[in-house]
Amino acid sequence: MVHVYEFMWRVLHVLLHIHRTFITLFRIRLRNWNGQLWSRALAALLVPIALSFPKQKKLVPAPGKLVGRRYRWGADGKSLEKLPDHIGLLIAEEEPRYTDIANLVVWCMAVGISYISVYDNHGVFRRNNSRLMEEILKQQQELLGLEGSKQHSVEFLSNGPDKQDHQVLSCQSVVKVLSPDDGKLRIVQAAQELCRAVEQMEKTAKDINVTVLDSLLRESKTTPDPDLVLKFGPVESTLGFLPWHIRLTEFISLPSHVDVSYEDLFSALQHYASCEQRLGK
């Protein structure tokens, strides 16, 4: 046991000499640097402090990063077993955030979804339709870049007074703003139109069927029914979202649209792709 202690003492003695040698070399190098070491040490201290201040200006992503994003989102869409042709964004929250909704719309466009409907129960987006469209175009530029925006052109449709506004031809995606007026109220209006037609002898009672009513409720036969609706918020209700068009629609609930991420959206799309829809069978 004594030999073991003696051996350990000798090892520690050797390490002490090595330590002293390094200290001596460090002091010599320090004198040769003529103060450069202190300036480097000061910079090392100040850089983390400078980085801790809030950023006053948002950095624009490099063009290569934008291309990488577009490629990734497009590849994600192609990787799914099935992708909704028409997706609805149902906002069941009191205070909508336009930037977050615009991000969702642009991401949906980027993965390859052709039709996007935005709906809230209070008609906030319908009343502020222009503001939402401007935010979508802004986020399209920031997330996809100028070249990406050209590749993912968009057409805006509205049922409001400015129905003819914000339309772009040769588009790849269609964005539509909906409100409760497009739901139950539209069904009532269609029924009233049929009743007036019978009253004026333009139609008979035998002419009224599901197909006729369906044609009245659909402004464009080229727009398919929603395949998927993402509901944001704690309310467990469809809140009147197109009751005539959602017979075969899959609903997925998310906690909130505030600060929603692309990963949240893609996770919901993966869930939809794995769902087995029996379609009444």
Side-chain angles (χ1 to χ4, degrees), residues 123-135:
V124 175
F125 295 124
R126 172 65 62 79
R127 292 192 299 272
N128 299 277
N129 181 54
S130 298
R131 178 182 174 185
L132 176 62
M133 299 311 171
E134 290 173 1
E135 190 66 31

Side-chain angles (χ1 to χ4, degrees), residues 81-100:
E81 186 175 344
K82 60 178 178 178
L83 188 69
D85 195 25
H86 183 180
I87 188 171
L89 306 177
L90 195 165
I91 312 303
E93 297 176 272
E94 293 297 327
E95 297 183 4
R97 294 247 306 247
Y98 287 85
T99 300
D100 291 319

